[in-house]
Amino acid sequence: MTTCYINGKYKPLSQSNISITDRGFQFSDGVYEVIAIYNDKFVDLNLHLNRLKTSLNKISIKISLNQSQIEKISQKIKKLNKISMGIIYIQITRGNQNPRDHKYKNDLKPNIIIYSLKKDFKKLDKLALIGVKTALYPDIRWLRSDIKSISLLGNVMAANFAKKKKSHEAVLYDHNNYVTEGNSSSIWIIKDNVCYTHPLSYKILKGCTRNKLISILKSHQFKFKEKTFSIKSLISADEVFMTSATNFIMPIVKVDKYLISDGKPGIFTKSLREEFIRAI
Ligand code: PLP
């Protein structure tokens, strides 16, 4: 049985219900966070809690819990559900509103849920030894992908296209054939010993793993540029990888029918993954 924190109470997940008048259900009017727990430790907890605060501010949702209270609840959920490898899921919506109206009232009480899922990160460690295949998909999402919104239909369509193509992730590209990000990840290439990823803008989410990796790259004096790159540069890169809270640093060895280099994870990607895991 999984225990869920829901609006101040701890309940079994199966009894944790939200009203159909919830604006998250009606309008996707809410935000979320996913935080990994690896070998009993939270990964980049503060980065995720800061981003949650930023997402809430961006859509003007005010909550009564502060960051340290959210951290305490997350710790309790981790303990109650005995999670040493898994994720904490946090979702906050603007609250219930009846009758339904696009325009929100200012006095709504946000719905806050926090629960956990077990995740076999050791399986992903094994997958990282061989790398993953990806599928290209147009970035059909809205123009505020910087907000970690629960409105994920574009990402869901991309992810399921990738699934149909037996791929681990969809790599999204804009109308100029430039790569933006993955359906649930940041995308990186390495060319001539320089690491590239899309610059921060409304088009992408500010990945916490991206953030962490940038500090690792800087501390190792690895050349790094936040610069857009095309599909052509992607498939002719020396190494390609994706980063996310649930994949850490995952080598990409194939994009559609194109093998990246020799189709094996690159040496820099491998060592960056090891370094990332060491730093948890
Ligand atoms: N981009 C998108 C669209 C995502 O959904 C995610 C993670 O879910 C990321 C990037 C990577 O962000 P993070 O490293 O914080 O998990």
Side-chain angles (χ1 to χ4, degrees), residues 20 47 89 231 280:
I20 63 161
L47 289 176
Y89 182 81
I231 292 177
I280 289 173

Side-chain angles (χ1 to χ4, degrees), residues 167-179:
S167 291
H168 188 72
E169 183 86 353
V171 174
L172 310 179
Y173 59 92
D174 67 14
H175 55 282
N176 292 317
N177 288 338
Y178 278 84
V179 172

Side-chain angles (χ1 to χ4, degrees), residues 170-270:
V171 174
L172 310 179
Y173 59 92
D174 67 14
H175 55 282
N176 292 317
N177 288 338
Y178 278 84
V179 172
T180 51
E181 58 181 344
N183 61 259
S184 312
S185 65
S186 313
I187 302 289
W188 305 67
I189 60 171
I190 301 177
K191 186 72 181 174
D192 299 329
N193 298 320
V194 183
C195 209
Y196 298 87
T197 196
H198 195 290
L200 293 179
S201 74
Y202 287 160
K203 287 182 162 187
I204 66 159
L205 183 72
K206 185 179 180 186
C208 296
T209 322
R210 176 190 189 278
N211 241 32
K212 182 67 157 292
L213 181 60
I214 290 173
S215 357
I216 293 175
L217 291 171
K218 283 184 179 159
S219 69
H220 286 72
Q221 274 121 47
F222 198 106
K223 284 193 196 121
F224 153 73
K225 283 188 187 157
E226 286 178 275
K227 189 171 181 289
T228 51
F229 54 86
S230 62
I231 292 177
K232 210 168 148 198
S233 305
L234 172 78
I235 57 185
S236 57
D238 300 328
E239 300 187 22
V240 179
F241 61 91
M242 53 185 267
T243 57
S244 76
T246 52
N247 283 272
F248 302 158
I249 295 167
M250 182 58 76
I252 292 174
V253 293
K254 206 173 178 193
V255 177
D256 284 351
K257 62 180 180 181
Y258 304 101
L259 279 185
I260 305 302
S261 292
D262 60 357
K264 297 200 178 94
I267 47 163
F268 288 121
T269 308
K270 265 187 172 169

Side-chain angles (χ1 to χ4, degrees), residues 6 12 28 33 37 40 73 80 114 118 120 139 148 161-162 164 169 197 201 235-236 239 273:
I6 174 164
S28 299
E33 266 307 324
I37 299 166
D40 230 31
I73 297 164
L80 288 171
I114 302 177
K118 287 202 163 92
D120 189 355
D139 195 342
K148 201 161 169 69
F161 175 81
K164 222 157 95 188
E169 183 86 353
T197 196
S201 74
I235 57 185
S236 57
E239 300 187 22
R273 181 179 172 87

Side-chain angles (χ1 to χ4, degrees), residues 34-43 78 81-89 115-122 245-246 248:
V34 173
I35 307 164
I37 299 166
Y38 187 84
N39 283 343
D40 230 31
K41 289 186 205 145
F42 282 102
V43 183
K78 170 181 176 290
N81 293 330
K82 299 185 183 67
I83 304 287
S84 66
M85 287 284 192
I87 64 165
I88 290 285
Y89 182 81
Y115 65 96
S116 62
L117 276 85
K118 287 202 163 92
K119 189 163 175 79
D120 189 355
F121 280 111
K122 296 290 170 189
T246 52
F248 302 158

